[in-house]
């Protein structure tokens, strides 16, 4: 879980006393974190580069396993007030993911591309959000994905020996325990060359 997070247009940080700072674009109130307390981790939602977008959200994980969110909620991505027993949260474009203490995953927000179809995921220890896909790292070192595979970004079924995963706009990367990196998806701009 991160104590520092950066979205496309805003940044969020957890202070040592559990309060939160946010700076940057606040058009959807994504920086309205005054009054948050007991926070141990944060996530910042992503924003598309198109001119008609720009609204994002911020998510905080509290030490008691509850979750708080602020900002744009057009797809229900801030509907986390009932979440309990969480260990990790992640924020993507129009969605929020969380890992429960039992290793299962919950999601809320935009699901047009099935990126929130994570209800069957188990033994997950880390999560990440791309724009239209979600990725999870299982305790056995394998990866699981949900959502769009338009550019092959969800082609992770053969990956193993992983210790970390991350998701970009249209690509996914994984770090293996031996220090090598695996990648899938778009690489038109050299995202994983």
């Amino acid at each position: 879980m991160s104590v520092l997070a950066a979205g496309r247009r805003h940044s969020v940080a957890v202070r040592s006393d559990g309060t939160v700072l946010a700076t940057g674009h606040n058009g959807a109130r994504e920086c309205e974190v005054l009054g948050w307390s007991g926070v141990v981790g944060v996530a910042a939602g992503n924003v598309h580069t198109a001119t008609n977008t720009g609204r994002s959200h911020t998510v905080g994980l509290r030490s008691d396993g509850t979750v708080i969110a602020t900002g744009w909620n057009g797809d229900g991505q801030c509907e986390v007030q009932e979440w309990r027993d969480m260990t990790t949260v992640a924020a993507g474009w129009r969605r929020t993911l969380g890992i429960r203490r039992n290793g299962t995953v919950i999601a809320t927000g935009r699901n047009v591309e099935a990126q929130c179809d994570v209800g069957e995921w188990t033994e997950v220890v880390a999560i990440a959000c791309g724009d239209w896909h979600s990725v999870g790292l299982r305790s056995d070192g394998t990866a699981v994905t949900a959502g769009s595979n338009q550019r092959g970004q969800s082609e992770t079924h053969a990956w193993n020996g992983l210790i970390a995963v991350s998701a970009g706009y249209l690509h996914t990367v994984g770090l293996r325990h031996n220090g090598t990196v695996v990648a899938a998806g778009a690489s038109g701009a050299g995202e994983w060359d």
Side-chain angles (χ1 to χ4, degrees):
M1 186 77 252
S2 180
V3 295
L4 183 66
R8 183 162 183 264
R9 296 183 179 145
H10 77 293
S11 300
V12 188
V14 180
R15 292 181 176 128
S16 60
D17 66 359
T19 60
V20 178
L21 290 172
T23 188
H25 181 73
N26 195 32
R29 301 176 51 92
E30 57 268 65
C31 293
E32 299 294 321
V33 297
L34 187 65
W36 286 18
S37 62
V39 176
V40 295
V42 289
N46 198 9
V47 178
H48 274 339
T49 57
T51 57
N52 64 340
T53 64
R55 300 170 292 187
S56 64
H57 67 295
T58 301
V59 182
L61 174 66
R62 289 188 166 133
S63 59
D64 65 0
T66 60
V67 180
I68 189 168
T70 188
W72 184 50
N73 195 31
D75 289 288
Q77 60 268 36
C78 291
E79 301 300 322
V80 297
Q81 56 271 33
E82 300 299 319
W83 291 14
R84 302 287 183 268
D85 297 320
M86 308 309 291
T87 62
T88 303
V89 292
W93 183 60
R94 298 182 170 190
R95 78 183 172 291
T96 302
L97 301 178
I99 302 175
R100 294 182 183 110
R101 290 191 204 288
N102 66 4
T104 60
V105 178
I106 189 170
T108 188
R110 181 183 169 96
N111 198 34
V112 174
E113 295 81 20
Q115 63 270 48
C116 289
D117 289 353
V118 297
E120 300 296 317
W121 292 9
T122 59
E123 300 178 21
V124 175
V125 296
I127 49 177
C129 297
D131 270 21
W132 291 293
H133 72 294
S134 301
V135 60
L137 172 63
R138 287 195 166 130
S139 59
D140 66 358
T142 60
V144 61
T145 58
S148 176
N149 194 32
Q150 184 178 13
R151 298 283 197 276
Q153 65 265 38
S154 294
E155 296 294 327
T156 62
H157 54 275
W159 293 5
N160 56 51
L162 299 173
I163 58 171
V165 293
S166 189
Y169 173 57
L170 293 172
H171 67 288
T172 304
V173 294
L175 176 65
R176 287 194 166 129
H177 62 83
N178 65 4
T180 60
V181 175
V182 289
S187 185
E191 291 92 325
W192 53 270
D193 289 341

